[in-house]
Amino acid sequence: MLRQLYNNWICYQDGIQAKKRMNMLTKELFRKAIHICAAFVPLFLDFAYYPVMVLLTLVLVLYCVAEYLRCKGHTVPVISFVTMVAARKRDENRFVLGPATLAMGVLLTAAFFQPLPARVGICALAFGDGLASLVGKCFGQIRIPFTGGKTVAGSLACFAAIFCSTYHITGSSSVALGCGLVGMGFELLPLKDLDNLVIPILIAGICQFYFHT
């Protein structure tokens, strides 16, 4: 009887853990789908640079206002729901910075760099940082010390994504290799949501320096 109760308890605990893991992966998939959508921004910028920049600025302002109101207990249709679905454990009961820093990273990169380096930087953010977290959560087994939980699988995915996207855009294997290594290195730092700012600007800067020296 006791053994049966113990087995039932173990099964119950395993079920809770499996449900928590599935919920975490669903949130991560949803978040990174938004992240990867940033890769479409350079395409839109090619067709209508100023309207797209204005639109992104308005989206950023609207999001910040909606998050402020949400933190004060007021729900904003659609935006508050999306934030709630995508929010991680560390984001509970606080202003969710991720979408704001993502939009700021794209805006600053597009504003201060020439079109090709900007495209490289934005795609590095979309694919490199986006896939690193997703692959790390799904397949990461080996954690890297002093990185805030980053995994070997996630870091390799980040390098591969930045290398491939940069090579596709520039056609230069040396630039792709350099951007991939630098992007992977900075993605390892426990920057939390600030990597959305650091990675695209840094990668775009490296690319612009290479092609104008």
Side-chain angles (χ1 to χ4, degrees):
M1 181 65 177
L2 290 176
R3 184 176 181 83
Q4 182 62 39
L5 289 173
Y6 175 76
N7 289 337
N8 290 341
W9 173 254
I10 293 299
C11 291
Y12 175 72
Q13 292 297 319
D14 289 343
I16 292 176
Q17 293 302 319
K19 187 175 181 179
K20 286 182 178 179
R21 178 171 174 77
M22 183 57 66
N23 183 53
M24 179 192 69
L25 292 178
T26 301
K27 283 181 177 290
E28 199 64 27
L29 183 61
F30 184 79
R31 289 179 60 253
K32 294 312 175 183
I34 297 173
H35 222 84
I36 291 172
C37 284
F40 290 104
V41 173
L43 178 63
F44 299 143
L45 289 171
D46 287 341
F47 287 99
Y49 179 85
Y50 290 108
V52 171
M53 292 291 283
V54 170
L55 180 61
L56 285 173
T57 303
L58 290 175
V59 168
L60 174 60
V61 172
L62 178 61
Y63 173 80
C64 290
V65 171
E67 265 300 273
Y68 174 79
L69 292 174
R70 186 185 67 83
C71 292
K72 294 295 183 180
H74 305 287
T75 300
V76 178
V78 181
I79 298 177
S80 295
F81 174 76
V82 171
T83 302
M84 180 185 68
V85 172
R88 293 166 293 190
K89 186 71 175 177
R90 76 182 190 208
D91 295 323
E92 291 180 357
N93 303 316
R94 60 185 287 269
F95 191 103
V96 181
L97 280 173
T101 55
L102 175 65
M104 288 177 63
V106 171
L107 276 167
L108 292 174
T109 304
F112 291 105
F113 295 97
Q114 296 180 2
L116 188 143
R119 184 179 294 109
V120 170
I122 293 170
C123 286
L125 171 63
F127 296 117
D129 188 47
L131 291 177
S133 180
L134 189 58
V135 171
K137 290 287 192 306
C138 293
F139 306 106
Q141 298 294 326
I142 304 173
R143 298 191 179 277
I144 303 173
F146 312 113
T147 61
K150 304 295 178 68
T151 65
V152 172
S155 295
L156 291 177
C158 177
F159 169 78
I162 294 177
F163 178 89
C164 291
S165 64
T166 303
Y167 182 76
H168 176 74
I169 294 168
T170 65
S172 171
S173 57
S174 59
V175 173
L177 179 62
C179 288
L181 290 173
V182 171
M184 180 181 68
F186 273 84
E187 195 276 332
L188 283 172
L189 299 177
L191 299 174
K192 296 184 178 180
D193 293 316
L194 291 179
D195 57 2
N196 291 337
L197 289 171
V198 174
I199 289 177
I201 292 173
L202 185 66
I203 297 299
I206 291 172
C207 187
Q208 184 154 307
F209 176 80
Y210 179 87
F211 283 106
H212 293 84
T213 55

Short mmCIF file of all heavy atoms in Angstrom, two decimals, residues 6 9 13 24 49 54 61-62 65-66 81 93 95 104-105 110 117 133-134 136 153 174 176 181 185 191 203 207:
data_model
loop_
_atom_site.label_atom_id
_atom_site.label_comp_id
_atom_site.label_asym_id
_atom_site.label_seq_id
_atom_site.Cartn_x
_atom_site.Cartn_y
_atom_site.Cartn_z
N TYR A 6 3.63 5.76 -2.78
CA TYR A 6 4.91 6.39 -3.15
C TYR A 6 5.03 6.50 -4.67
O TYR A 6 5.44 7.54 -5.19
CB TYR A 6 6.06 5.56 -2.58
CG TYR A 6 7.43 6.07 -2.99
CD1 TYR A 6 7.97 7.21 -2.40
CD2 TYR A 6 8.15 5.42 -3.99
CE1 TYR A 6 9.20 7.68 -2.79
CE2 TYR A 6 9.39 5.89 -4.38
CZ TYR A 6 9.92 7.03 -3.78
OH TYR A 6 11.15 7.50 -4.16
N TRP A 9 2.83 9.18 -5.99
CA TRP A 9 3.41 10.50 -5.68
C TRP A 9 4.52 10.85 -6.66
O TRP A 9 4.59 11.99 -7.15
CB TRP A 9 3.93 10.51 -4.26
CG TRP A 9 4.69 11.75 -3.89
CD1 TRP A 9 6.02 11.89 -3.73
CD2 TRP A 9 4.12 13.05 -3.68
NE1 TRP A 9 6.34 13.17 -3.41
CE2 TRP A 9 5.19 13.92 -3.37
CE3 TRP A 9 2.83 13.55 -3.70
CZ2 TRP A 9 5.01 15.26 -3.10
CZ3 TRP A 9 2.64 14.90 -3.42
CH2 TRP A 9 3.72 15.74 -3.12
N GLN A 13 4.57 14.00 -9.23
CA GLN A 13 5.64 14.99 -9.29
C GLN A 13 6.24 15.07 -10.69
O GLN A 13 6.55 16.16 -11.19
CB GLN A 13 6.73 14.64 -8.27
CG GLN A 13 6.29 14.80 -6.82
CD GLN A 13 5.95 16.24 -6.49
OE1 GLN A 13 6.63 17.17 -6.91
NE2 GLN A 13 4.86 16.42 -5.75
N MET A 24 7.32 26.21 -20.09
CA MET A 24 8.52 27.01 -20.31
C MET A 24 8.92 27.01 -21.78
O MET A 24 9.25 28.05 -22.36
CB MET A 24 9.67 26.46 -19.47
CG MET A 24 10.99 27.20 -19.66
SD MET A 24 12.39 26.33 -18.94
CE MET A 24 12.52 24.91 -20.04
N TYR A 49 12.15 53.28 -45.76
CA TYR A 49 13.00 53.44 -44.58
C TYR A 49 12.33 54.29 -43.50
O TYR A 49 12.14 53.84 -42.37
CB TYR A 49 14.34 54.05 -44.98
CG TYR A 49 15.27 54.27 -43.81
CD1 TYR A 49 16.09 53.25 -43.37
CD2 TYR A 49 15.32 55.52 -43.17
CE1 TYR A 49 16.95 53.44 -42.29
CE2 TYR A 49 16.18 55.71 -42.09
CZ TYR A 49 16.99 54.68 -41.66
OH TYR A 49 17.82 54.87 -40.60
N VAL A 54 9.54 55.19 -38.27
CA VAL A 54 8.50 55.86 -37.49
C VAL A 54 7.56 54.83 -36.88
O VAL A 54 7.19 54.94 -35.70
CB VAL A 54 7.71 56.85 -38.38
CG1 VAL A 54 6.48 57.38 -37.64
CG2 VAL A 54 8.60 58.01 -38.80
N VAL A 61 6.98 53.00 -28.27
CA VAL A 61 6.32 53.90 -27.32
C VAL A 61 5.02 53.27 -26.82
O VAL A 61 4.74 53.29 -25.60
CB VAL A 61 6.05 55.27 -27.97
CG1 VAL A 61 5.18 56.13 -27.05
CG2 VAL A 61 7.36 55.98 -28.28
N LEU A 62 4.24 52.70 -27.71
CA LEU A 62 2.97 52.08 -27.34
C LEU A 62 3.20 50.93 -26.38
O LEU A 62 2.46 50.78 -25.39
CB LEU A 62 2.23 51.60 -28.60
CG LEU A 62 0.89 50.88 -28.36
CD1 LEU A 62 -0.09 51.81 -27.68
CD2 LEU A 62 0.33 50.37 -29.69
N VAL A 65 4.15 52.28 -22.88
CA VAL A 65 2.96 52.81 -22.20
C VAL A 65 2.09 51.66 -21.70
O VAL A 65 1.60 51.67 -20.56
CB VAL A 65 2.16 53.73 -23.14
CG1 VAL A 65 0.82 54.11 -22.51
CG2 VAL A 65 2.96 54.99 -23.46
N ALA A 66 1.89 50.65 -22.56
CA ALA A 66 1.06 49.51 -22.19
C ALA A 66 1.66 48.74 -21.01
O ALA A 66 0.93 48.30 -20.11
CB ALA A 66 0.89 48.58 -23.39
N PHE A 81 -1.89 40.93 -23.15
CA PHE A 81 -2.04 39.48 -23.29
C PHE A 81 -0.77 38.85 -23.86
O PHE A 81 -0.29 37.82 -23.36
CB PHE A 81 -3.22 39.16 -24.20
CG PHE A 81 -3.36 37.69 -24.52
CD1 PHE A 81 -3.87 36.80 -23.58
CD2 PHE A 81 -2.96 37.20 -25.75
CE1 PHE A 81 -3.97 35.45 -23.86
CE2 PHE A 81 -3.06 35.85 -26.05
CZ PHE A 81 -3.58 34.97 -25.09
N ASN A 93 5.66 40.33 -12.29
CA ASN A 93 5.43 41.51 -11.44
C ASN A 93 6.42 42.64 -11.69
O ASN A 93 6.77 43.39 -10.77
CB ASN A 93 5.46 41.11 -9.96
CG ASN A 93 4.44 40.05 -9.63
OD1 ASN A 93 3.29 40.12 -10.08
ND2 ASN A 93 4.85 39.04 -8.87
N PHE A 95 8.23 45.35 -15.08
CA PHE A 95 8.23 45.80 -16.47
C PHE A 95 9.04 44.82 -17.31
O PHE A 95 10.21 44.56 -17.02
CB PHE A 95 8.84 47.20 -16.56
CG PHE A 95 8.66 47.88 -17.88
CD1 PHE A 95 7.70 48.87 -18.03
CD2 PHE A 95 9.45 47.54 -18.96
CE1 PHE A 95 7.54 49.52 -19.26
CE2 PHE A 95 9.28 48.17 -20.19
CZ PHE A 95 8.33 49.16 -20.34
N MET A 104 14.44 48.65 -29.58
CA MET A 104 15.49 49.67 -29.51
C MET A 104 16.75 49.21 -30.23
O MET A 104 17.41 50.00 -30.92
CB MET A 104 15.80 50.00 -28.05
CG MET A 104 14.72 50.79 -27.35
SD MET A 104 15.10 51.07 -25.59
CE MET A 104 16.59 52.05 -25.73
N GLY A 105 17.10 47.93 -30.07
CA GLY A 105 18.28 47.41 -30.75
C GLY A 105 18.15 47.50 -32.26
O GLY A 105 19.09 47.90 -32.96
N ALA A 110 19.56 50.27 -37.23
CA ALA A 110 19.13 50.80 -38.52
C ALA A 110 19.44 52.28 -38.67
O ALA A 110 19.71 52.76 -39.78
CB ALA A 110 17.63 50.56 -38.70
N PRO A 117 25.68 46.67 -43.16
CA PRO A 117 26.03 46.33 -41.77
C PRO A 117 24.81 46.27 -40.86
O PRO A 117 24.73 45.42 -39.96
CB PRO A 117 26.97 47.46 -41.35
CG PRO A 117 27.56 47.97 -42.62
CD PRO A 117 26.45 47.84 -43.62
N SER A 133 18.84 30.84 -27.37
CA SER A 133 18.00 30.56 -26.21
C SER A 133 17.08 29.37 -26.46
O SER A 133 16.92 28.50 -25.61
CB SER A 133 17.16 31.80 -25.87
OG SER A 133 16.34 31.55 -24.76
N LEU A 134 16.50 29.30 -27.66
CA LEU A 134 15.56 28.23 -27.97
C LEU A 134 16.26 26.87 -27.99
O LEU A 134 15.78 25.91 -27.38
CB LEU A 134 14.91 28.50 -29.32
CG LEU A 134 13.75 27.59 -29.72
CD1 LEU A 134 12.64 27.66 -28.69
CD2 LEU A 134 13.23 27.98 -31.10
N GLY A 136 19.15 26.16 -26.60
CA GLY A 136 19.65 25.90 -25.25
C GLY A 136 18.58 25.32 -24.34
O GLY A 136 18.83 24.39 -23.57
N ALA A 153 25.17 23.94 -26.26
CA ALA A 153 24.31 23.81 -27.44
C ALA A 153 23.78 25.16 -27.89
O ALA A 153 23.76 25.48 -29.09
CB ALA A 153 23.15 22.85 -27.14
N SER A 174 35.33 35.38 -43.84
CA SER A 174 36.12 35.96 -42.74
C SER A 174 35.25 36.87 -41.87
O SER A 174 35.34 36.85 -40.64
CB SER A 174 37.33 36.72 -43.28
OG SER A 174 36.92 37.76 -44.15
N ALA A 176 31.98 36.66 -41.64
CA ALA A 176 31.02 35.78 -40.99
C ALA A 176 31.63 35.09 -39.79
O ALA A 176 30.99 34.96 -38.73
CB ALA A 176 30.50 34.74 -41.99
N LEU A 181 31.94 34.59 -33.98
CA LEU A 181 32.70 34.41 -32.74
C LEU A 181 32.41 35.52 -31.73
O LEU A 181 32.21 35.25 -30.54
CB LEU A 181 34.20 34.37 -33.05
CG LEU A 181 34.70 33.11 -33.79
CD1 LEU A 181 36.16 33.27 -34.18
CD2 LEU A 181 34.51 31.87 -32.92
N GLY A 185 30.44 35.14 -28.21
CA GLY A 185 31.11 35.55 -26.98
C GLY A 185 30.26 36.48 -26.14
O GLY A 185 30.15 36.30 -24.93
N LEU A 191 23.90 39.18 -19.75
CA LEU A 191 23.40 40.54 -19.96
C LEU A 191 21.88 40.62 -19.86
O LEU A 191 21.32 41.72 -19.90
CB LEU A 191 23.82 41.04 -21.35
CG LEU A 191 25.33 41.14 -21.61
CD1 LEU A 191 25.59 41.50 -23.05
CD2 LEU A 191 25.95 42.16 -20.68
N ILE A 203 27.78 43.81 -33.73
CA ILE A 203 27.99 43.08 -34.99
C ILE A 203 27.94 44.02 -36.19
O ILE A 203 28.77 43.91 -37.12
CB ILE A 203 26.93 41.96 -35.14
CG1 ILE A 203 27.07 40.93 -34.01
CG2 ILE A 203 27.05 41.28 -36.49
CD1 ILE A 203 28.39 40.22 -33.97
N CYS A 207 31.04 44.76 -38.87
CA CYS A 207 30.84 44.63 -40.31
C CYS A 207 31.14 45.94 -41.04
O CYS A 207 31.80 45.94 -42.08
CB CYS A 207 29.39 44.18 -40.55
SG CYS A 207 29.04 43.79 -42.27
#
